[in-house]
Amino acid sequence: MPSYTVTVATGSQWFAGTDDYIYLSLVGSAGCSEKHLLDKPFYNDFERGAVDSYDVTVDEELGDIQLVKIEKRKYWLHDDWYLKYITLKTPCGDYIEFPCYRWITGEGEIVLRDGRAKLACDDQIHILKQHRRKELETRQKQYRWMEWNPGFPLSIDAKYHKDLPRDIQFDSEKGVDFVLNYSKAMENLFINRFMHMFQSSWSDFADFEKIFVKISNTISERVMKHWQEDLMFGYQFLNGCNPVMIQRCTKLPEKFPVTTEMVECSLERNLTLEQEIEQGNIFIVDFELLDGIDANKTDPCTLQFLAAPICLLYKNLANKIVPIAIQLNQVPGDENPIFLPSDAKYDWLLAKIWVRSSDFHVHQTITHLLRTHLVSEVFGIAMYRQLPAVHPIFKLLVAHVRFTIAINTKAREQLICEYGLFDKANATGGGGHVQMVQRAMQDLTYTSLCFPEAIKARGMDSTEDIPYYFYRDDGLLVWEAINTFTAEVVGIYYKSDQVVAEDQELQDFVKDVYVYGMRGKKTSGFPKSIKTREKLSEYLTVVIFTASAQHAAVNFGQYDWCSWIPNAPPTMRAPPPTTKGVVTIEQIVDTLPDRGRSCWHLGAVWALSQLQDNELFLGMYPEEHFIEKPVKEAMARFRKNLAAIVSVIAERNKNKKLPYYYLSPDRIPNSVAI
């Protein structure tokens, strides 16, 4: 009688093991086996992290094994089980791998195919075609689209984290409880004594140090010491938390009537402002998106204010970027003066603080929330709905959407919801952040997610002209490494452009992203279909880069750049000044956030900057969804390319007072999970 050796691997995360009864059946080309209970006498089977082997004897020849069926039945209480993989040794000595990496819940069952990636056109056998179709039918019932707010990209239809499919929940929900994490952060930072002191102003800038954790030789300490300097202000537009706003100014907008006379003491080349613009030395940052956004009114005791500034910057003879003019609102006029470095010290400082505060709002809600979190969730939901686990693109992308839907659901539950944590300290809380996303959706285009195109569109691509733009330099290296890798994987499974065009599952995935994620907007430029291998590898690069590198670049520097409150105020408690020459230090301190809001802000940027336990970084694929040698070799080359980038960045950062490391691949998590 034929005998098979079955090896079963249980996950090593918390609560992965089970005491339930586990049954296995084999489905072959010549027949199906009976149901076998996998159980060893006097042994605790399926413990967390265990790899257990069983001999399974069948009555007759089964032929080629096509499917393995696993059933879980209750022993005492329902006990979820995380199955990593099953390996089968056949009677003739062959080994077949069946990757799973999923939870089996309740009285559940899972039917697995062997680990070879297959396109739909590769499946000729009816039972395999049927398995493929059934898996997608089940997933489409579990992963449903929902509109959380009008005009937003659609998100997962789940009100709470616990409502999500078990496979995409966090291993431990406690780890991502925002209320808990922010409170814990305030405790760790020894600032919880201030957390309820709303409406209580600090006495001066030095007073902010009471909640500032000084860690010597860090970026945050350097920011604290130099935040008032124009060089530090300009540098942040290149390499701070929000390095995506600055663009080369080719023509001064009419709404910003800066003249040569106003700024000539800042210009170093004996040229007029127009000539400096022609030579490419003038840059602009426009926060037009904030114009008319409602400020937070959730606390009747504290008035909060927003501005929509425009800032002109200049590349000086040392090739450093410095601010030369700031207008705090969009419409020029007597009550909206243009502030200049030649103005009184506190006039100029307060104008810069307003710009920094506006930058913080756009960073949090658009650069970070919309353009990494919400976009990655769209890719994740579409992937689960349209690509079966056997599809090579599913196997490639699954690591890059890990926990993304979960973190976003948790954020909608606790953070950005009505009366959520976001309302506590932010001037755009209470609904302003929703208005911002609705507006920014107009500018969310496919090309703006293609990193090289986005840099070029802002006129920031010349390394010669703008030599200290490390976000651009490192981002291009990582983009290229990802693109090379995706092109290799695409080349393995798609032998021609025709195979791409005829892959209906792939086309359905791309269409889901366009129709539901981008709400079917033609102006988004998102493709409705993909016809070539080159376009497919670019699309996959967008998915992976957005989830990994782009998110890392705009997330993990938050404590570095935003922990010194005057450098990134989450709210302002007085309106922008309408005249020059009246600002005092007392007025600035009274405009900045109170003690309570400062603490909540600090807790937030600390918590958001922390890596997850057991973080998986770019290039790490511990879940072996792919079993084929060519893909494993492509992964090894990818890791080698990434390691070379790590060395290049480390070398560049040597002896730098302000090292730029957010895009070093050894610091880039695989997915948006925080």
Side-chain angles (χ1 to χ4, degrees):
M1 290 166 74
S3 179
Y4 294 83
T5 303
V6 178
T7 303
V8 180
T10 297
S12 52
Q13 60 269 66
W14 288 104
F15 313 116
T18 188
D19 288 326
D20 282 357
Y21 296 112
I22 303 297
Y23 296 91
L24 173 134
S25 324
L26 302 174
V27 179
S29 55
C32 303
S33 75
E34 294 288 313
K35 206 156 70 169
H36 291 267
L37 175 65
L38 300 181
D39 183 44
K40 285 188 270 196
F42 313 111
Y43 176 76
N44 201 347
D45 305 272
F46 316 116
E47 286 292 278
R48 175 182 161 212
V51 178
D52 300 314
S53 289
Y54 304 88
D55 288 325
V56 171
T57 304
V58 296
D59 297 335
E60 53 195 44
E61 290 289 344
L62 299 176
D64 295 334
I65 299 299
Q66 292 163 341
L67 301 170
V68 168
K69 188 175 182 182
I70 298 287
E71 295 176 61
K72 185 167 78 67
R73 297 291 174 254
K74 188 164 71 172
Y75 167 67
W76 184 246
L77 296 166
H78 277 309
D79 193 7
D80 295 349
W81 179 41
Y82 188 85
L83 172 60
K84 283 171 72 175
Y85 61 82
I86 286 176
T87 305
L88 204 62
K89 185 184 177 189
T90 66
C92 51
D94 294 332
Y95 285 87
I96 311 172
E97 294 176 54
F98 294 84
C100 179
Y101 302 103
R102 287 171 61 193
W103 288 93
I104 306 178
T105 58
E107 299 265 299
E109 63 176 56
I110 278 185
V111 181
L112 301 176
R113 285 184 59 163
D114 78 76
R116 290 168 302 168
K118 297 283 183 190
L119 300 175
C121 62
D122 300 328
D123 281 341
Q124 302 304 325
I125 300 164
H126 173 69
I127 193 170
L128 297 180
K129 287 180 176 180
Q130 191 183 32
H131 176 263
R132 201 175 186 114
R133 193 181 68 248
K134 269 190 178 170
E135 182 183 8
L136 289 181
E137 283 170 2
T138 306
R139 289 235 216 99
Q140 283 163 14
K141 286 174 190 160
Q142 289 179 311
Y143 295 82
R144 300 173 308 278
W145 294 102
M146 175 195 76
E147 183 178 68
W148 186 65
N149 259 304
F152 272 52
L154 294 196
S155 46
I156 194 81
D157 184 6
K159 198 171 180 188
Y160 303 109
H161 178 268
K162 63 180 172 56
D163 302 332
L164 292 170
R166 184 70 182 90
D167 287 330
I168 59 167
Q169 289 182 25
F170 280 103
D171 297 332
S172 156
E173 205 179 336
K174 272 188 188 147
V176 285
D177 187 298
F178 287 109
V179 179
L180 202 67
N181 288 358
Y182 286 20
S183 306
K184 211 181 345 178
M186 286 186 260
E187 218 170 280
N188 291 344
L189 299 166
F190 305 109
I191 57 172
N192 42 350
R193 66 187 186 280
F194 297 114
M195 66 190 275
H196 301 299
M197 294 171 71
F198 291 96
Q199 288 85 50
S200 165
S201 290
W202 301 95
S203 50
D204 54 29
F205 291 143
D207 206 19
F208 281 99
E209 290 188 45
K210 285 181 182 166
I211 62 161
F212 184 74
V213 179
K214 266 197 199 171
I215 309 164
S216 56
N217 300 322
T218 55
I219 290 175
S220 54
E221 189 193 38
R222 200 160 177 81
V223 170
M224 184 197 78
K225 286 179 179 168
H226 300 281
W227 70 281
Q228 298 187 40
E229 297 166 16
D230 288 354
L231 278 172
M232 179 61 92
F233 178 90
Y235 178 86
Q236 291 179 71
F237 284 115
L238 296 177
N239 302 310
C241 245
N242 195 26
V244 301
M245 296 292 290
I246 187 169
Q247 48 188 335
R248 199 185 287 272
C249 180
T250 51
K251 185 179 184 291
L252 212 56
E254 284 179 22
K255 63 183 180 179
F256 193 25
V258 183
T259 64
T260 300
E261 292 70 47
M262 288 179 182
V263 296
E264 63 187 339
C265 62
S266 299
L267 306 180
E268 298 179 354
R269 294 178 177 85
N270 293 323
L271 300 172
T272 65
L273 181 57
E274 286 66 31
Q275 289 168 328
E276 293 279 16
I277 289 172
E278 276 169 35
Q279 291 208 358
N281 298 322
I282 302 292
F283 300 84
I284 193 165
V285 179
D286 188 350
F287 295 95
E288 186 178 17
L289 183 94
L290 287 164
D291 192 26
I293 296 292
D294 293 332
N296 192 340
K297 294 182 181 67
T298 56
D299 178 0
C301 301
T302 305
L303 284 175
Q304 299 181 59
F305 296 90
L306 293 167
I310 313 170
C311 178
L312 208 62
L313 299 127
Y314 176 62
K315 184 183 72 171
N316 65 19
L317 287 171
N319 282 328
K320 300 291 169 68
I321 303 286
V322 290
I324 58 171
I326 294 169
Q327 181 178 288
L328 293 180
N329 277 304
Q330 293 286 307
V331 181
D334 293 343
E335 295 201 340
N336 187 20
I338 293 173
F339 291 93
L340 307 164
S342 52
D343 289 341
K345 177 184 175 180
Y346 292 126
D347 280 1
W348 180 235
L349 182 60
L350 182 56
K352 287 192 293 179
I353 291 172
W354 269 106
V355 171
R356 294 293 315 130
S357 183
S358 303
D359 192 62
F360 175 79
H361 296 309
V362 172
H363 165 261
Q364 284 292 5
T365 304
I366 308 308
T367 310
H368 183 212
L369 172 66
L370 172 61
R371 297 181 70 89
T372 63
H373 278 257
L374 300 185
V375 167
S376 286
E377 180 176 6
V378 164
F379 290 133
I381 299 169
M383 180 201 79
Y384 280 112
R385 284 173 55 80
Q386 303 299 351
L387 299 175
V390 72
H391 197 290
I393 304 304
F394 179 92
K395 289 172 180 276
L396 175 67
L397 295 184
V398 67
H400 300 289
V401 298
R402 177 176 176 258
F403 298 148
T404 301
I405 301 171
I407 193 74
N408 288 359
T409 304
K410 207 73 188 149
R412 286 187 286 270
E413 196 182 319
Q414 293 184 317
L415 194 61
I416 54 174
C417 53
E418 206 175 348
Y419 310 117
L421 289 174
F422 198 81
D423 291 357
K424 271 190 184 294
N426 291 287
T428 51
H433 60 305
V434 172
Q435 296 169 0
M436 287 172 70
V437 171
Q438 289 164 336
R439 272 190 201 176
M441 277 296 284
Q442 311 309 315
D443 301 318
L444 179 56
T445 62
Y446 177 73
T447 49
S448 72
L449 296 177
C450 295
F451 190 80
E453 299 295 318
I455 295 288
K456 213 175 283 179
R458 292 188 286 111
M460 300 296 291
D461 46 320
S462 170
T463 49
E464 209 175 306
D465 282 357
I466 313 154
Y468 301 111
Y469 197 11
F470 308 127
Y471 163 74
R472 170 203 60 206
D473 301 342
D474 300 355
L476 288 169
L477 292 176
V478 175
W479 172 275
E480 199 43 55
I482 296 171
N483 199 33
T484 301
F485 171 54
T486 58
E488 282 189 45
V489 175
V490 166
I492 293 166
Y493 294 102
Y494 294 90
K495 294 305 174 195
S496 68
D497 290 343
Q498 188 184 348
V499 182
V500 172
E502 291 174 359
D503 180 355
Q504 195 52 51
E505 290 167 342
L506 169 68
Q507 303 305 333
D508 290 343
F509 162 62
V510 171
K511 190 178 175 185
D512 242 33
V513 170
Y514 172 72
V515 171
Y516 299 105
M518 297 307 121
R519 313 302 298 266
K521 281 199 186 90
K522 276 187 185 171
T523 51
S524 73
F526 268 75
K528 295 179 203 174
S529 61
I530 289 179
K531 300 282 192 263
T532 68
R533 296 194 295 176
E534 188 185 351
K535 275 291 169 199
L536 175 56
S537 54
E538 179 191 76
Y539 194 89
L540 298 172
T541 304
V542 166
V543 178
I544 296 172
F545 186 89
T546 302
S548 57
Q550 187 59 27
H551 180 255
V554 302
N555 182 70
F556 292 105
Q558 290 188 77
Y559 189 77
D560 286 349
W561 296 102
C562 304
S563 56
W564 179 246
I565 308 286
N567 187 58
T571 189
M572 299 288 262
R573 295 181 297 144
T578 53
T579 54
K580 294 188 182 188
V582 292
V583 178
T584 62
I585 177 94
E586 292 76 24
Q587 200 181 325
I588 293 179
V589 173
D590 284 342
T591 300
L592 287 168
D594 55 40
R595 292 166 191 252
R597 285 180 176 82
S598 298
C599 288
W600 279 98
H601 168 80
L602 206 54
V605 296
W606 170 269
L608 290 169
S609 300
Q610 304 309 302
L611 292 163
Q612 291 279 348
D613 294 339
N614 307 320
E615 192 68 76
L616 297 177
F617 295 99
L618 194 57
M620 291 167 68
Y621 296 99
E623 292 186 355
E624 293 196 44
H625 290 274
F626 282 113
I627 64 165
E628 297 98 316
K629 198 178 172 193
V631 188
K632 290 189 172 185
E633 288 170 349
M635 284 175 172
R637 283 190 293 275
F638 182 37
R639 280 191 286 274
K640 195 176 172 188
N641 286 344
L642 293 173
I645 296 170
V646 171
S647 302
V648 167
I649 293 172
E651 187 59 37
R652 192 234 9 249
N653 283 338
K654 264 186 192 168
N655 307 320
K656 270 206 183 322
K657 288 171 183 166
L658 276 176
Y660 185 81
Y661 43 72
Y662 310 117
L663 282 169
S664 183
D666 57 346
R667 289 171 176 253
I668 299 176
N670 253 334
S671 63
V672 177
I674 187 72

